[in-house]
């Protein structure tokens, strides 16, 4: 993270935390893996499938430690942080496997510890290492990650950036009620709690409209406006940007002074503790995105996804986690950007989805001017809910996917009951990803975006083995994700 986003006090506390973690790691080697994602990308599903496949001997041919037979056991253990809620793995697996419903999305931070016993591939390492690695999986909402850039902004900068974005494209209509109300107010009018509440409610409604399935926009700070939790109604969440402030100063006791003070309180009470206590302690990170949904919603959603990834990648401290850097303040040395729901496409389009996502990430990296080392891109499905098939239509073979649509899903006027299977042609992604980014104007880009037939399918029906044990959850490239994120720590 840019040094301007942290204070000297933050840095000192981070160093103390890192020293404590380092001392603990001498006795019990640990990787802290951050898992987050932008809206509806499937964080809970990813963690549940990852843990289930490791515990139940899932098919993970690209995860070298498993493929070579060097892993002797995998088990869940009590998490080390007593103040953080436990990730409810058992409940989520029950929903996926037994009830065949998708578990609830992440609303707050949670944690789970998974410990792997293994034999090192190096004879030298086997002499000095116990062959034990704990993985502390830290699950947190992507909206919290998108809040971190606020640490480097004052209230006026926040107002300017947020208002400029709100007046562009489809956001102009969605933000009208908030901006219309704000335009009637003088920032130097006396502070009034009910006025502040109306402003905050309309601003939050605008953010929710941007996040809706119909729009699928991604850049939505402040994140706690979308998931307030126990801060609902607090002064730290009762503020909003004021447009067109210029250089005018706020008088003491004015509405503008109240908004500015509460914005700073939001950073102090919400954002800064998350950064210091959780984010700054991570070693590895996976960011899940729903690129398919953005492609289906049009050029503005794609551009907004790129903008969000630009903000996300700017948060990380790129670089190797050497002994010195670990002592002085961790660096997240590996970041995986995963485009999820690859099972919604035929396998012929999986590489194309990955190429499109890589292009979006590369553009974001280029714009913020960071090195791309340690950043990888993958197209995957944490849970494979479909199968592939071929149907004959008009004398030609048509590749399709088959599965059980969720109750209420409608395809071609046919509404499904959640039990009946069907086959659909999901559409094709372009062979060349560059064709989607050659021009910036929405009209020309609109004509190049593919039309995808995105259907919400139920989780698969898992059979049981002869002994009655449930087979592992099927996936696409989960093993490749594991190899990138922790494979080197099991060498």
């Amino acid at each position: 993270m840019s040094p301007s986003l942290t204070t000297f006090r933050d840095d000192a506390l981070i160093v103390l935390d890192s020293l404590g973690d380092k001392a603990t790691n001498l006795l019990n080697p640990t990787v802290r893996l951050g898992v987050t994602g932008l809206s509806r990308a499937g964080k809970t599903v990813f963690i549940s499938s990852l843990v289930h496949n490791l515990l139940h001997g899932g098919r993970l041919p690209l995860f070298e430690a498993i493929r070579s037979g060097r892993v002797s056991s995998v088990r869940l253990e009590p998490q080390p942080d007593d103040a953080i809620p436990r990730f409810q793995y058992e409940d989520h697996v029950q929903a996926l496997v037994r009830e065949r419903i998708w578990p609830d999305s992440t609303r707050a931070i949670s944690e789970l510890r998974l410990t792997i016993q293994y034999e090192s591939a190096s004879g030298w390492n086997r002499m000095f290492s116990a062959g034990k690695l704990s993985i502390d999986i830290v699950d947190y909402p992507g909206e919290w990650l998108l809040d971190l850039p606020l640490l480097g902004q004052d209230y006026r900068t926040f107002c300017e950036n947020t208002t400029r974005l709100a007046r562009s494209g489809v956001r102009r209509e969605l933000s009208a009620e908030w901006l219309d109300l704000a335009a009637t107010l003088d920032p130097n009018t006396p502070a009034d709690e009910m006025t502040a509440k109306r402003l905050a409610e309309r601003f939050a409604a605008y953010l929710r409209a941007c996040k809706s399935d119909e729009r699928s926009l991604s850049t939505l700070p402040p994140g706690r406006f979308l998931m307030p939790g126990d801060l609902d109604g607090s002064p730290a969440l009762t503020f909003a940007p004021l447009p067109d402030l210029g250089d005018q100063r706020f008088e003491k006791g004015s509405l503008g002074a109240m908004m500015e003070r509460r914005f700073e309180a939001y950073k102090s009470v919400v954002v800064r503790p998350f950064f210091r206590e959780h984010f700054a302690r991570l070693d590895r990170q996976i960011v899940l995105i729903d690129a398919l949904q953005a492609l289906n919603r049009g050029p503005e959603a794609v551009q907004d996804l790129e903008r969000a990834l630009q903000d996300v990648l700017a948060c990380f401290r790129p670089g190797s986690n050497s002994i010195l850097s670990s002592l002085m303040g961790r660096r997240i040395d590996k970041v995986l950007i995963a485009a999820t729901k690859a099972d919604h496409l035929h396998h012929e389009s999986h590489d194309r989805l990955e190429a499109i996502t890589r292009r979006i990430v590369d553009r974001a990296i280029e714009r913020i001017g960071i090195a791309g080392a340690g950043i990888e891109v993958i197209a995957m499905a944490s849970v494979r809910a479909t199968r592939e098939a071929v149907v004959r239509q008009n004398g030609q073979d048509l590749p399709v996917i088959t599965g059980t649509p969720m109750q209420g899903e409608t395809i071609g006027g046919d509404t499904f009951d959640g039990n009946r299977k069907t086959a659909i042609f999901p559409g094709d992604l372009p062979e060349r990803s560059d064709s989607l980014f050659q021009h910036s104007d929405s009209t020309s880009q609109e004509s190049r975006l593919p039309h995808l037939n995105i259907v919400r399918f139920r989780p698969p029906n898992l059979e049981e083995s002869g002994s009655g044990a449930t087979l592992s959850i099927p996936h696409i490239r989960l093993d490749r994700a594991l190899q990138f994120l922790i494979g080197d720590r099991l060498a």
Side-chain angles (χ1 to χ4, degrees):
M1 177 170 286
S2 167
S4 65
L5 302 189
T6 61
T7 65
F8 287 116
R9 181 176 182 274
D10 289 331
D11 291 335
L13 291 171
I14 290 167
V15 169
L16 290 175
D17 289 339
S18 295
L19 287 170
D21 289 342
K22 195 69 179 177
T24 302
N25 283 348
L26 292 175
L27 300 174
N28 185 16
T30 303
V31 173
R32 289 184 66 83
L33 172 62
V35 180
T36 195
L38 306 185
S39 181
R40 297 175 180 84
K43 300 176 292 296
T44 303
V45 173
F46 169 80
I47 297 172
S48 301
S49 179
L50 180 152
V51 175
H52 193 270
N53 272 278
L54 287 175
L55 291 177
H56 292 264
R59 243 187 117 257
L60 302 167
L62 296 182
F63 189 28
E64 191 277 333
I66 292 284
R67 184 185 71 239
S68 62
R70 293 191 294 105
V71 172
S72 57
S73 70
V74 182
R75 64 182 182 274
L76 289 173
E77 290 192 325
Q79 66 191 66
D81 299 306
D82 293 333
I84 301 176
R86 182 180 183 272
F87 179 84
Q88 296 301 316
Y89 163 73
E90 294 82 2
D91 293 341
H92 299 319
V93 167
Q94 171 77 14
L96 282 169
V97 175
R98 300 296 182 187
E99 302 172 32
R100 294 184 63 201
I101 59 175
W102 299 108
D104 293 336
S105 59
T106 300
R107 305 294 298 178
I109 196 163
S110 63
E111 188 177 357
L112 191 71
R113 169 166 282 193
L114 193 69
T115 295
I116 300 176
Q117 296 281 162
Y118 70 99
E119 182 181 75
S120 174
S122 164
W124 179 260
N125 287 342
R126 287 197 293 270
M127 294 176 60
F128 297 97
S129 171
K132 175 182 175 183
L133 179 69
S134 291
I135 305 166
D136 289 341
I137 302 172
V138 183
D139 175 34
Y140 65 94
E143 287 83 359
W144 294 16
L145 181 58
L146 288 170
D147 271 354
L148 292 183
L150 297 179
L151 292 176
Q153 301 176 21
D154 59 19
Y155 178 66
R156 292 174 186 273
T157 304
F158 165 67
C159 291
E160 181 181 348
N161 292 344
T162 306
T163 302
R164 184 191 313 115
L165 187 59
R167 286 171 170 166
S168 66
V170 69
R171 289 176 181 256
R172 179 184 297 273
E173 177 184 350
L174 303 178
S175 64
E177 289 192 12
W178 153 53
L179 288 176
D180 287 347
L181 174 60
T184 67
L185 302 173
D186 180 355
N188 279 314
T189 194
D192 175 71
E193 194 63 49
M194 295 310 296
T195 300
K197 183 179 179 182
R198 288 199 304 274
L199 268 174
E201 288 174 346
R202 293 195 183 186
F203 179 60
Y206 151 67
L207 294 178
R208 288 193 297 270
C210 290
K211 186 180 179 179
S212 68
D213 286 342
E214 293 75 19
R215 301 301 181 185
S216 298
L217 300 177
S218 303
T219 309
L220 304 169
R224 290 294 181 95
F225 277 61
L226 294 169
M227 46 183 65
D230 57 2
L231 291 174
D232 192 18
S234 68
L237 265 63
T238 311
F239 71 93
L242 294 171
D244 308 319
L245 290 175
D247 296 327
Q248 63 177 308
R249 291 183 176 276
F250 299 138
E251 297 177 4
K252 186 177 181 179
S254 66
L255 177 66
M258 173 195 275
M259 296 291 101
E260 184 174 45
R261 184 177 66 254
R262 291 182 174 183
F263 172 74
E264 293 300 326
Y266 182 84
K267 293 195 297 181
S268 298
V269 173
V270 175
V271 186
R272 204 175 297 281
F274 165 68
F275 167 72
R276 184 181 70 80
E277 296 169 13
H278 305 294
F279 183 80
R281 297 176 60 201
L282 298 176
D283 300 301
R284 306 282 166 89
Q285 176 72 55
I286 180 169
V287 180
L288 305 164
I289 64 172
D290 191 350
L292 288 178
Q293 183 81 326
L295 287 167
N296 230 26
R297 289 296 177 259
E300 280 196 51
V302 174
Q303 292 164 8
D304 205 66
L305 174 59
E306 183 179 322
R307 183 184 300 112
L309 283 175
Q310 182 176 318
D311 290 342
V312 164
L313 293 172
C315 292
F316 297 109
R317 295 184 171 195
S320 175
N321 241 335
S322 65
I323 294 177
L324 180 60
S325 70
S326 295
L327 290 174
M328 298 307 295
R330 271 190 173 95
R331 295 180 184 274
I332 296 176
D333 57 349
K334 286 192 175 186
V335 179
L336 181 62
I337 308 295
T340 59
K341 305 177 183 177
D343 60 327
H344 286 52
L345 298 171
H346 194 270
H347 75 269
E348 294 175 351
S349 285
H350 290 179
D351 288 345
R352 300 175 187 181
L353 174 60
E354 188 170 302
I356 291 169
T357 306
R358 186 178 301 277
R359 180 64 174 146
I360 294 173
V361 170
D362 287 346
R363 284 161 60 95
I365 289 173
E366 182 179 352
R367 289 187 177 184
I368 58 181
I370 65 172
I375 300 174
E376 186 57 88
V377 174
I378 188 175
M380 64 174 291
S382 305
V383 174
R384 183 168 192 163
T386 66
R387 298 284 185 181
E388 294 186 357
V390 176
V391 299
R392 192 77 174 170
Q393 188 175 58
N394 300 325
Q396 293 184 330
D397 289 336
L398 187 67
V400 298
I401 57 175
T402 66
T404 305
M406 297 284 290
Q407 184 176 2
E409 282 290 288
T410 301
I411 305 174
D414 190 6
T415 301
F416 286 79
D417 60 4
N419 296 310
R420 181 161 51 100
K421 292 184 177 181
T422 192
I424 65 165
F425 173 64
D428 289 321
L429 292 176
E431 292 186 22
R432 291 179 53 84
S433 62
D434 288 349
S435 65
L436 297 176
F437 304 97
Q438 288 174 353
H439 304 283
S440 58
D441 61 287
S442 296
T443 302
S444 61
Q445 191 180 6
E446 185 77 56
S447 63
R448 293 191 306 277
L449 286 178
H451 175 71
L452 302 172
N453 192 8
I454 304 298
V455 174
R456 294 185 306 145
F457 291 97
R458 291 185 66 187
N461 185 17
L462 298 187
E463 298 178 356
E464 294 185 345
S465 66
S467 62
T470 301
L471 301 180
S472 60
I473 296 173
H475 61 85
I476 298 174
R477 299 188 185 90
L478 180 64
D479 50 345
R480 186 175 149 197
L482 279 166
Q483 180 62 27
F484 175 78
L485 291 167
I486 62 171
D488 61 321
R489 297 297 301 270
L490 297 171

